[in-house]
Amino acid sequence: MELHLPERRLSLDRPLVMGIVNATPDSFFDGGRFLDPQLALEHGRRLVEEGADLLDIGAESTRPGSVPIDEGEELRRLVPIVTALAQAVSVPISVDTSKAAVAKAAIKAGAVMVNDVTALRGDPAMADVVAQTGVALVLMHMQGTPQTMQQAPTYGDVVEEVADFLAERARFAMERGVAKSRIVLDPGIGFGKVLTHNLDLLAHLRMLTALGFPVLVGPSRKGFIGQLTKQSVEGRAWGTAGVVALAVEQGANILRVHDVAAMRDVVNVATAISGRMPASLREQHA
Ligand code: HH2
């Protein structure tokens, strides 16, 4: 399987690690650390040195209860960082935004993927921006909005509902001109889900990979890991490692994480054991 980007194809023969760069004052883990473009640039560079296959740059927190920011502020935070990182690193750059104008400016600055946590429901102009520029697109499931999503999330069968939603959003994107080879699906761990919803989705990730699109999973240091381990955000790397290993075993293609060096190792080991190591690498180790 390959993911098509504007000027290159990204092989999905092995699972990829996407490193997170949050240029926000309020993200739940790294808020305030990389708001300064120079610090964000250094952080992104470090993540690539640690083995990130892609970077995801966001300027608006979507943690539960977060306050939306306006377009001007998002552009001010994001564009300098995308510009600097696109020149500094050779891995593809994704932008975590739901606003078409922000996506457009970030693509002009060098981004080749749009990570839209609203799955094209947030801004009616987003589908055209993605289709016309030929960038890749992450469609994520979320019940409600970040402001309200954790108040009382309810599902009949969470796995079936998320799979149906993602299949419908992929159809919508394709109707609007986004090529199938550019679409990635994401169950949206922690977005309008209680602990059991997250666990059901992670245990049945195969139901999502069966839809025929690459699957991205973003469990990094999230609240459900805190519930299971009783750890604060700072102490959730090991819990994240557990999720990442099992997600690889279940067929996940892209793991979105804060701790690239550690999760690179977790992904490599889980990839080998689950029989997903590319043939060329297997031969080297034979
Ligand atoms: N999770 C977060 C943000 N963006 N995008 C996708 N596709 N999937 C995810 O699971 C996902 C996402 C939340 O994590 P983080 O960016 O660390 O926090 P914040 O939203 O507070 O900036």
Side-chain angles (χ1 to χ4, degrees), residues 98 116-122 138-141 165-166 169 172:
S98 305
D116 182 1
V117 298
T118 72
L120 301 182
R121 297 174 300 167
V138 180
L139 296 169
M140 195 195 80
H141 176 273
F165 170 87
L166 292 175
R169 288 288 86 194
F172 174 80

Side-chain angles (χ1 to χ4, degrees), residues 121 141-146 148-150 152-155 161 191-193:
R121 297 174 300 167
H141 176 273
M142 164 164 42
Q143 188 180 93
T145 65
T148 60
M149 65 190 181
Q150 290 309 109
T154 43
Y155 298 87
E161 283 178 39
F191 284 85
K193 284 140 193 129

Side-chain angles (χ1 to χ4, degrees), residues 17 46-47 49-52 257-266:
V17 175
R46 185 166 56 244
L47 295 185
E49 279 162 21
E50 290 176 358
V257 296
H258 300 98
D259 309 278
V260 169
M263 298 311 145
R264 175 81 267 165
D265 288 354
V266 172

Side-chain angles (χ1 to χ4, degrees), residues 173 181 204:
S181 57
H204 298 96

Side-chain angles (χ1 to χ4, degrees), residues 20 22 26-28 60-63 96 115 117 138 140 186 188-189 191 216 218 222 256 258:
I20 303 170
N22 279 324
D26 57 342
S27 285
F28 77 94
E60 178 176 47
S61 173
T62 48
R63 75 182 192 289
D96 190 344
N115 173 19
V117 298
V138 180
M140 195 195 80
D186 179 348
I189 298 300
F191 284 85
L216 183 152
K222 285 187 176 168
R256 181 183 182 277
H258 300 98

Side-chain angles (χ1 to χ4, degrees), residues 224-241:
F224 80 104
I225 295 174
Q227 284 176 275
L228 294 170
T229 61
K230 309 279 182 273
Q231 297 281 358
S232 67
V233 174
E234 283 70 33
R236 294 179 192 163
W238 291 103
T240 303

